[in-house]
Amino acid sequence: MTQVPSEPLVDTLCIVGPGLIGSSVLRAARADGLIARRTIATDIDPAVCARVRELDIADEVDTDPSKAVADADVVMLCVPVGAIAPVARALYPHLKPGAIMTDTGSVKRSVLADLDGALPPGAAYVPAHPMAGTEHSGPDAGFATLFVDRWCLLTPRADTPPDATARIVALWERLGARTRIMDPEHHDNVCAMVSHLPHLIAFTICGTADQLAEDTRGEVLDYAASGFRDFTRVAASDPVMWRDIFLHNREALLAMLDRFRADADAMAEAIRHGDADRIVETIRRGREIRRSLIENRQA
Amino acid sequence: MTQVPSEPLVDTLCIVGPGLIGSSVLRAARADGLIARRTIATDIDPAVCARVRELDIADEVDTDPSKAVADADVVMLCVPVGAIAPVARALYPHLKPGAIMTDTGSVKRSVLADLDGALPPGAAYVPAHPMAGTEHSGPDAGFATLFVDRWCLLTPRADTPPDATARIVALWERLGARTRIMDPEHHDNVCAMVSHLPHLIAFTICGTADQLAEDTRGEVLDYAASGFRDFTRVAASDPVMWRDIFLHNREALLAMLDRFRADADAMAEAIRHGDADRIVETIRRGREIRRSLIENRQA
Ligand SMILES: NC(=O)c1ccc[n+]([C@@H]2O[C@H](COP(=O)([O-])OP(=O)(O)OC[C@H]3O[C@@H](n4cnc5c(N)ncnc54)[C@H](OP(=O)(O)O)[C@@H]3O)[C@@H](O)[C@H]2O)c1
Ligand SMILES: NC(=O)c1ccc[n+]([C@@H]2O[C@H](COP(=O)([O-])OP(=O)(O)OC[C@H]3O[C@@H](n4cnc5c(N)ncnc54)[C@H](OP(=O)(O)O)[C@@H]3O)[C@@H](O)[C@H]2O)c1
């Protein structure tokens, strides 16, 4: 704790998929010499590789992922959730002994279930999820301070070597994040409520607005500053990323959506029957949570 | 248009209910001598009157509304939607001949239907709704620039004297707003989508989060920065104001909620059946609206 680090935490760090998240890790490593001595970036998309070269945010760029990972001590997969397990399994044979593979995916349980495969001797896989992002994507969207004071949740399995987990924890702390270790299922439930359901609702209500009669729709857009715009900000996010999140966290998300629908139905009933007390009670409860808890805990 | 005004638009302006909206009008009048020569504030709550005196934002404060309006050329009701019609009817007999009564309520159709009563000779009623606000309420929450560059929608009836409407339009323009005249029913449909439904959803999802198991709920609050917090900001708003809006715009709101529920059901089905194309299509459509339309029109 009190020891000042004098050499980089990781020797060679390879980022697979240098989009918003991956390029932010690269930028932070550039800014802080104690994260990695050397960084390598790789992507299936040659245009992304070319852009990372132009931006000059990685020490090396290799368009061939299997070559890019060969030398790496830590390989971080920053690809969409649906690509994590296939990319991990394809790259396992190319890892060097003792390497640690990790990811940044927003869903954990179903991805972990698909990860089985032959890791090289002494190699380990440590699942992680930085709770930080924006509604933008791609290598231009990243910035070095993205993870500062944000949470990174880690969901190691029972058989994950504790020292591998400790190294990834240290890496995220060096990136500025606060870390917490939890069960993958719990992770997915929490994220379904905190992030996936709000996104689903925001995408949906944009679609609802789009189907209104032409004149009404035009005015919804004119007056969007009155709540609608803030409410739908998250709906600007990447379709592929969110498709993968919705499909891979299907059960937890649908369970939360069911609860929400039941609560919305109860509110609709109260409004339909003019049950003023129940409406005020619901509003007051929502407001309490919003105020006392959220504002106090996250001021 | 090119004429520089030299004297106040209104001689005596009376604000009934100097909360967020009413106290903002008072402050703007104080800041800009050309809005009203003299302002009077009144409220059923003596504590609100005392606070307005302390804040010194009105020229006069009278705890008796019927006395406060007696001298006024324009009486602006800034009370909750459910109080507008009763307060208006109670004050009609105390208006001076030729006075204009107006309001700032967020719902129009059902309130207008309840407004009938005996206006004094030459007096007129002009319904208005400034599309500006915050999640705070009360006389301390207001500020002089609240209406600058925001819309104010006016919904005069066929029998509203055009010169009365023109004066209230001019008043809102002097307050900094852009104005538009529309049909009350259309107003209520647009506001149901742009504001009332987002608020209903935000209140509801806060309640849903509150009912989660203790450990999950605690973490939802810890990680609220990941979307939930922004998404529920509007849920900090006043319960009485929103109860009145939900009850008085019941039909339009329930109709929009039905559309939204059907769209959410379709999204849930697509996720349940792993229909990736439909999910991407929905996300992409939501995102399009969000991006090209809203950002371009309201940059
Ligand atoms: N954005 C957020 O708010 C956020 C927050 C926390 C965690 N995450 C998670 O972090 C991961 C990355 O998200 P991001 O926002 O950084 O996404 P992004 O900006 O879209 O970057 C993802 C990158 O991965 C590349 N890629 C896609 N499939 C690949 C494959 N099979 N092999 C190699 N590269 C591949 C993409 O290339 P193309 O451009 O050609 O597709 C892109 O360059 C996702 O799992 C996401 O769930 C995101
Ligand atoms: N807030 C927004 O975002 C917003 C935006 C546009 C339009 N509006 C509309 O503007 C109106 C005022 O909203 P606001 O946010 O300014 O509310 P607010 O801050 O709560 O102020 C309303 C004031 O009216 C008083 N009042 C309540 N019933 C009354 C009655 N029967 N007679 C006289 N005074 C009474 C209240 O006193 P107590 O404090 O004792 O209740 C309070 O001082 C509402 O119709 C609302 O729908 C609000």
Side-chain angles (χ1 to χ4, degrees), chain B residues 85-166:
Chain B
V87 169
R89 287 195 310 255
L91 294 179
Y92 281 164
H94 306 282
L95 295 181
K96 73 176 185 188
I100 303 175
M101 186 177 269
T102 182
D103 69 75
T104 62
S106 309
V107 178
K108 291 291 164 229
R109 200 185 52 77
S110 66
V111 174
L112 283 178
D114 278 353
L115 270 182
D116 288 318
L119 275 166
Y125 193 100
V126 180
H129 174 206
M131 304 281 282
T134 72
E135 68 274 31
H136 305 293
S137 57
D140 285 282
F143 50 97
T145 55
L146 177 60
F147 311 110
V148 173
D149 289 334
R150 308 303 298 271
W151 286 99
C152 181
L153 309 182
L154 293 98
T155 61
R157 306 197 305 188
D159 61 356
T160 308
D163 56 336
T165 302

Side-chain angles (χ1 to χ4, degrees), chain B residues 30-298:
Chain B
R30 220 0 111 71
D32 175 353
L34 295 174
I35 289 171
R37 188 187 59 79
R38 172 187 174 216
T39 59
I40 305 177
T42 182
D43 200 285
I44 32 158
D45 186 343
V48 171
C49 288
R51 186 63 188 143
V52 170
R53 254 188 222 107
E54 262 171 46
L55 292 169
D56 187 26
I57 51 178
D59 297 331
E60 292 167 39
V61 180
D62 197 321
T63 51
D64 180 347
S66 57
K67 291 207 185 103
V69 303
D71 254 7
D73 300 285
V74 173
V75 173
M76 188 185 285
L77 309 181
C78 305
V79 300
V81 163
I84 294 172
V87 169
R89 287 195 310 255
L91 294 179
Y92 281 164
H94 306 282
L95 295 181
K96 73 176 185 188
I100 303 175
M101 186 177 269
T102 182
D103 69 75
T104 62
S106 309
V107 178
K108 291 291 164 229
R109 200 185 52 77
S110 66
V111 174
L112 283 178
D114 278 353
L115 270 182
D116 288 318
L119 275 166
Y125 193 100
V126 180
H129 174 206
M131 304 281 282
T134 72
E135 68 274 31
H136 305 293
S137 57
D140 285 282
F143 50 97
T145 55
L146 177 60
F147 311 110
V148 173
D149 289 334
R150 308 303 298 271
W151 286 99
C152 181
L153 309 182
L154 293 98
T155 61
R157 306 197 305 188
D159 61 356
T160 308
D163 56 336
T165 302
R167 265 174 85 76
I168 302 303
V169 163
L171 178 57
W172 282 104
E173 292 181 349
R174 200 65 66 83
L175 287 162
R178 295 180 283 179
T179 57
R180 201 174 267 182
I181 289 182
M182 60 172 66
D183 176 74
E185 196 155 338
H186 182 66
H187 168 277
D188 289 357
N189 279 324
V190 168
C191 290
M193 177 54 86
V194 109
S195 169
H196 308 168
L197 180 58
H199 276 83
L200 185 152
I201 291 173
F203 290 128
T204 301
I205 203 174
C206 282
T208 308
D210 191 42
Q211 286 160 52
L212 294 175
E214 192 65 48
D215 59 334
T216 310
R217 185 179 57 180
E219 297 198 274
V220 167
L221 297 166
D222 283 346
Y223 310 133
S226 303
F228 190 77
R229 186 167 43 170
D230 279 7
F231 190 79
T232 58
R233 187 189 58 82
V234 297
S237 306
D238 185 60
V240 168
M241 169 173 156
W242 284 98
R243 173 202 67 192
D244 279 9
I245 291 174
F246 291 167
L247 288 175
H248 285 83
N249 201 19
R250 185 185 312 216
E251 278 149 57
L253 176 58
L254 291 177
M256 291 298 175
L257 179 59
D258 272 349
R259 286 164 184 265
F260 168 76
R261 279 149 94 200
D263 292 341
D265 287 353
M267 188 66 157
E269 274 306 278
I271 293 172
R272 188 170 291 117
H273 296 118
D275 186 344
D277 291 344
R278 215 157 102 207
I279 297 170
V280 169
E281 189 42 39
T282 306
I283 296 179
R284 194 160 277 156
R285 253 219 349 258
R287 199 186 182 216
E288 281 291 289
I289 301 165
R290 171 68 213 174
R291 283 221 164 151
S292 57
L293 300 176
I294 299 192
E295 314 272 59
N296 290 350
R297 293 174 71 149
Q298 304 224 328

